[in-house]
Amino acid sequence: MDNLALCEANNVPLTPVTFLKRASECYPNRTSIIYGQTRFTWPQTYDRCCRLAASLLSLNISQNDVVSILAPNVPAMYEMHFGVPMTGAVLNPINTRLNAKTIAIILRHAQPKILFVDHEFAPLTQEVLQLLPFDNSQPRPLIIFINEIDSTKKPSSTDLDYEGLIQRGEPTLSSSASIFHVRNENDPISLNYTSGTTADPKGVVISHRGAYLSTLSAIMGWEMSASPVYLWTLPMFHGNGWTHTWAVAARGGTNVCMRQLTAPEIFKNIDLHGVTHMSCVPTVFRILLEGGRTDQSHRSPPVQVLTGGSSPPAALLEKVQKLGFEVMHGYGLTEATGPVLFCEWKEEWNSLPEHEQMQLKARQGVWNITLAEVDVKNTETQESVPRDGKTMGEIIIKGNSVMKGYLKNPKATSEALKHGRLNTGDLGVIHPDGHIEIKDRSKDIIISGGENISSIEVEKVLYENQKVLEAAVVAMPHPLWGETPCAFVVLRKGEEKLVTIKERDLINYCRENMPHFMCPRKVVFIQEELPKNSNGKILKSKLRELAKALVVDGDDVGTKKVEQRVVDHVKSRL
Amino acid sequence: MDNLALCEANNVPLTPVTFLKRASECYPNRTSIIYGQTRFTWPQTYDRCCRLAASLLSLNISQNDVVSILAPNVPAMYEMHFGVPMTGAVLNPINTRLNAKTIAIILRHAQPKILFVDHEFAPLTQEVLQLLPFDNSQPRPLIIFINEIDSTKKPSSTDLDYEGLIQRGEPTLSSSASIFHVRNENDPISLNYTSGTTADPKGVVISHRGAYLSTLSAIMGWEMSASPVYLWTLPMFHGNGWTHTWAVAARGGTNVCMRQLTAPEIFKNIDLHGVTHMSCVPTVFRILLEGGRTDQSHRSPPVQVLTGGSSPPAALLEKVQKLGFEVMHGYGLTEATGPVLFCEWKEEWNSLPEHEQMQLKARQGVWNITLAEVDVKNTETQESVPRDGKTMGEIIIKGNSVMKGYLKNPKATSEALKHGRLNTGDLGVIHPDGHIEIKDRSKDIIISGGENISSIEVEKVLYENQKVLEAAVVAMPHPLWGETPCAFVVLRKGEEKLVTIKERDLINYCRENMPHFMCPRKVVFIQEELPKNSNGKILKSKLRELAKALVVDGDDVGTKKVEQRVVDHVKSRL
């Protein structure tokens, strides 16, 4: 047995880049990308990515160099997910919703050799560059603009634009194996910064091997069958689009790219191109629900939607299904290269009433096939919690898709990976049927009179009220219990604004639907929307900070002030 | 980037054994195995496999030791696919249809420390052992019998039987990580002997990594969604059941095990347990077609059937679909750890007439997601053939699922893996849509007047004739053209036996449906069935040998003699 050494035939590094070559050979006639009037086939996309890689190599990009990109879901963003890793360089997709200051922090930390910028973000980039005093110790990255792909305008500010790079990529190089520089599957493929709600963003480094395995799990966990038509409602900069960038190539699907995320654009693309799949954070549901469509539950087959990022309450899922979407709920994190849990449907749930089905769907589910372990541990004893659906603990993960670490941050890396596993900081329970349910981020838990209250549990009940559009529950100070829940609520449009007296009604509604100690003692009504971070997650840290000023059974003036501060905060971020 | 070393959290060997642990945690209530009256859940199967592993370790089984098994598709056979590799040992499932002499050759070559024997094969094993002069240089393997699982009889000939081993497996060991001995994912997991139609069987060594990736590809290529109910109509000894042994665990499915492969048993299990998936060689279709069922095409959903091993003609697929089976065609080989090509369905085929659909289904399809390359190369120039659906070449494969090599056979290993790829010896074409179609084994091709004739192409046309049940076409000598096609045909039951004159009718039918140079010059009618190897593949090498005695337009006496020799050969193997 020992004499059988590995050889060229059976020893190939695992990298999602191979999915692209395969797509060009197995799906030669299938459309790879749709964007406005632009269409590419898989052989064309493969050719363009090879040309991009050849051009990058000619610009002296090499192993472990960082190549950053600031772009919406345009074809260039998709192509860079293959063209950059092909060269051995590391892709760094930057969240376009960040402000100039945060982007400057990221660039200073990541030190990219090249920064690709979509034309839409040219002014923002100007602002960023002014914040960065480049010197010899940190040379200025080469800026390459991405112009509108079907535009006939030539770029004025620079000779090099993205399309120029594609065109000058040596065809002889692109047709040979010499551009393929992945030597070790454990080498980094992407550098993804966390949203950084609390501190400076951290740079998560993931590997080719981890991305490859996560992509396969994403396909199986979501049951993404061959040749999906995938609508990009999730930003590709968001954890490489939860690995769906690579998954669509692996399945020979069609990427429908969109610049703007509006309800008319989404529904138009679905109808026009026969979209079968899309993934998004739950805030997109809000966009869909306000898009003016009526009941589409007859639509067959429905669009398969994967959601995650924060827990969508059962009541919200129910409303979205009526618009012709079949929602699957998942849980993932940048540090685990995307998908970790999928709420896999069980045959026996088919006979349950719809409302109960939605409650089961709101759980995060079972762990993905290529991980080695996902468990819920008591944070003090480090022992697994009983599988009773009640005992909370921290979710921990082990497997090849766990990040290599945080770039240039050994302290945070060893903290996150201590005990030989990824410690997520998310609290959850395991149900007797094996499904895991997230209860809260450890910092979002409310401790009232020694009892742990899951803010998500309280929010769930609030969302079940037909008048509630958005809800977030955080701790507010309480003279006796230490903390007590406070709810920030946005009401549905078209409903009359509730007056003060109705706060009591909503609290009473809560008292009828949950244990009294869990009920919010205060409801702050906000118009329009709650403050969110750049990934659309509600900024509970901000709300918690503001809630400190509130007093239980306090005066209206204080509450009004907090209301105003929330509105101001939302405005300041737009 | 370079400072981020791998650690315990993100560096776990890839092995299909992890699928079992995951199944026990993610699918705790689901039935893992059904066999007669026996039922297990996934936690029970996990526990039994851990106990088996603990017992094997206590019997001094260690890294790279071979553990052989001679058993039908019973629970023990399934459990050994996990329990043996857990210990670091190598599983060697032996084809139960082989004769004593061939099994003795395998045992002498594999040198197992333990041989597990199902009670059904006790007499065969006696015969085998008499052929093996064990001595000090090769100690006799420990024989452990597998009795009927629900039997109350205690084994008489030995103290150790399989269930005893399970029971004595230390529970403390089974609950700890100490039984899990997979250190390197490139270590061998299984030793599978090729059927050896032409020479001594060769021992194919496959790795944990290759098996893991092949299993994932098998799931995706066949679209095996969560919780399948899988009926074992494919022997697990056949390339580890094309990796479906591990795939069913990965998807939290239910294994329906069967000892006997008869039509009533198959249909009974399908109806009783709601079977969703099964895989089989095309000879099983013959069993199904003769099983007396009438039209079941209304059955919804149909049973998903994966077939391969030899090419099922379109006409045969059409008949099987009518019995309530949805057939997908694939291509794989032991040397590539199972599945290589899957005939992935294309949306645009839906609108074609059924017969055309079946013709497209009879192609082998696109390559599996985890391979690095599958191509068709000109055997002389080593260049890829044009993708025209016409130019034949040899199918070559590159990827982590390619075998480590043949055990103790460096010459055959380097021959198979030369040019840095697996050279399959199978001839095929690539269609413009990317689908690969196998045309023939290189040794089965018929060369007539310098023209290559694919025996499979001729067989396809014969199968389209409603009277034909089985057909095999081989070369016979021709004074002018060197070789010419000769057909061996079994007619459907219930039809009258064709008399000599009808040979001409069948040849005329061929002349109407294919180029004349491809038509058989001779048809030999065989009653009952054609000779097959232990995996159910028609033994063309035998037919070719017999066809040498035939003369074009020769006398009936010579033909009768050959007919008799075929019948004798089939009988001698029963």
Side-chain angles (χ1 to χ4, degrees), chain A residues 444-488:
Chain A
D444 290 339
I445 210 92
I446 301 156
I447 305 169
S448 188
E451 291 279 1
N452 283 344
I453 300 172
S454 153
S455 62
I456 292 174
E457 293 288 306
V458 184
E459 288 157 14
K460 257 190 209 169
V461 175
L462 285 168
Y463 271 108
E464 281 171 12
N465 189 305
Q466 288 299 319
K467 292 183 177 168
V468 171
L469 182 66
E470 278 187 355
V473 174
V474 299
M476 66 180 277
H478 190 281
L480 192 58
W481 308 117
E483 293 179 351
T484 193
C486 164
F488 289 81

Side-chain angles (χ1 to χ4, degrees), chain B residues 256-276:
Chain B
V256 182
C257 291
M258 277 198 306
R259 180 175 284 276
Q260 301 299 341
L261 200 67
T262 63
E265 274 295 299
I266 294 173
F267 286 118
K268 188 186 85 184
N269 276 304
I270 289 175
D271 296 344
L272 206 56
H273 308 300
V275 167
T276 61

Side-chain angles (χ1 to χ4, degrees), chain A residues 217-229:
Chain A
S217 282
I219 291 170
M220 289 178 283
W222 192 15
E223 313 279 10
M224 187 199 260
S225 53
S227 21
V229 179

Side-chain angles (χ1 to χ4, degrees), chain A residues 129-348:
Chain A
L129 293 177
Q130 277 158 15
L131 291 170
L132 281 176
F134 291 105
D135 55 26
N136 285 341
S137 76
Q138 176 157 0
R140 193 191 180 94
L142 176 66
I143 309 283
I144 298 177
F145 281 99
I146 302 163
N147 290 294
E148 204 57 77
I149 194 164
D150 49 5
S151 146
T152 49
K153 276 193 300 187
K154 277 284 144 209
S156 56
S157 58
T158 168
D159 284 330
L160 263 188
D161 81 327
Y162 182 82
E163 280 303 312
L165 220 58
I166 298 281
Q167 275 157 41
R168 81 176 208 189
E170 281 288 326
T172 51
L173 267 179
S174 73
S175 62
S176 81
S178 62
I179 50 151
F180 192 74
H181 285 247
V182 183
R183 298 276 174 262
N184 184 329
E185 65 194 41
N186 289 308
D187 282 343
I189 188 173
S190 193
L191 169 64
N192 302 327
Y193 281 83
T194 58
S195 47
T197 43
T198 47
D200 274 358
K202 293 192 285 275
V204 176
V205 179
I206 62 170
S207 70
H208 284 264
R209 175 177 163 106
Y212 183 89
L213 294 170
S214 234
T215 302
L216 298 182
S217 282
I219 291 170
M220 289 178 283
W222 192 15
E223 313 279 10
M224 187 199 260
S225 53
S227 21
V229 179
Y230 183 96
L231 180 66
W232 277 102
T233 47
L234 178 77
M236 294 188 211
F237 62 68
H238 196 156
N240 310 106
W242 300 348
T243 73
H244 297 150
T245 41
W246 300 308
V248 176
R251 296 262 59 181
T254 299
N255 293 281
V256 182
C257 291
M258 276 197 307
R259 181 175 283 276
Q260 301 299 342
L261 200 66
T262 63
E265 274 295 300
I266 294 173
F267 287 118
K268 188 185 83 184
N269 276 304
I270 288 175
D271 295 343
L272 207 55
H273 307 300
V275 166
T276 60
H277 290 72
M278 62 182 248
S279 40
C280 63
V281 293
T283 42
V284 173
F285 293 159
R286 199 191 130 130
I287 297 176
L288 295 174
L289 288 172
E290 293 186 343
R293 279 242 170 158
T294 49
D295 196 320
Q296 301 268 317
S297 47
H298 58 277
R299 193 192 145 94
S300 174
V303 177
Q304 300 296 321
V305 179
L306 183 71
T307 192
S310 60
S311 305
L316 186 61
L317 290 180
E318 211 168 333
K319 291 170 198 161
V320 174
Q321 304 249 128
K322 291 221 162 54
L323 292 179
F325 298 94
E326 176 72 38
V327 180
M328 180 185 257
H329 185 201
Y331 162 78
L333 61 175
T334 311
E335 285 86 344
T337 315
V340 173
L341 300 173
F342 290 95
C343 187
E344 238 174 53
W345 192 249
K346 287 174 194 269
E347 189 78 15
E348 56 265 36

Side-chain angles (χ1 to χ4, degrees), chain A residues 364-500:
Chain A
Q364 281 76 4
V366 298
W367 36 292
N368 94 35
I369 292 185
T370 62
L371 288 171
E373 191 185 353
V374 179
D375 201 359
V376 178
K377 300 265 194 195
N378 181 301
T379 47
E380 282 168 24
T381 63
Q382 308 302 335
E383 280 181 18
S384 302
V385 300
R387 301 171 159 257
D388 57 8
K390 289 176 197 153
T391 316
M392 259 197 270
E394 185 181 1
I395 292 167
I396 63 97
I397 302 165
K398 199 168 173 167
N400 296 289
S401 298
V402 166
M403 66 171 175
K404 290 171 72 91
Y406 297 115
L407 184 69
K408 296 181 237 167
N409 197 338
K411 191 163 162 279
T413 300
S414 66
E415 183 64 22
L417 302 182
K418 72 181 172 192
H419 307 307
R421 63 205 193 199
L422 176 65
N423 304 279
T424 64
D426 287 321
L427 301 178
V429 299
I430 309 186
H431 288 275
D433 68 355
H435 277 234
I436 294 177
E437 185 173 14
I438 311 281
K439 288 294 179 180
D440 229 332
R441 288 290 305 172
S442 53
K443 59 180 185 293
D444 290 339
I445 210 92
I446 301 156
I447 305 169
S448 188
E451 291 279 1
N452 283 344
I453 300 172
S454 153
S455 62
I456 292 174
E457 293 288 306
V458 184
E459 288 157 14
K460 257 190 209 169
V461 175
L462 285 168
Y463 271 108
E464 281 171 12
N465 189 305
Q466 288 299 319
K467 292 183 177 168
V468 171
L469 182 66
E470 278 187 355
V473 174
V474 299
M476 66 180 277
H478 190 281
L480 192 58
W481 308 117
E483 293 179 351
T484 193
C486 164
F488 289 81
V489 168
V490 181
L491 297 175
R492 275 189 165 283
K493 268 187 195 166
E495 308 281 341
E496 266 177 60
K497 187 173 181 270
L498 292 180
V499 287
T500 323

Side-chain angles (χ1 to χ4, degrees), chain A residues 2 8-10 12 22 25 27 64 185 209 212 220 223 225-226 251 344 367 370 387 399-400 403, chain B residues 2 9-10 12 22 25 27 64 185 209 212 220 223 225-226 251 344 367 370 387 398-400 403:
Chain A
D2 296 333
E8 202 190 329
N10 57 25
V12 183
R22 178 180 173 276
E25 296 186 11
Y27 310 102
N64 286 2
E185 65 194 41
R209 175 177 163 106
Y212 183 89
M220 289 178 283
E223 313 279 10
S225 53
R251 296 262 59 181
E344 238 174 53
W367 36 292
T370 62
R387 301 171 159 257
N400 296 289
M403 66 171 175
Chain B
D2 296 333
N10 58 25
V12 183
R22 177 181 174 274
E25 296 187 10
Y27 310 102
N64 286 1
E185 65 194 40
R209 175 179 164 105
Y212 184 90
M220 289 178 282
E223 313 280 9
S225 52
R251 296 263 60 180
E344 238 175 55
W367 36 292
T370 62
R387 301 171 158 258
K398 200 168 172 165
N400 297 288
M403 65 170 176

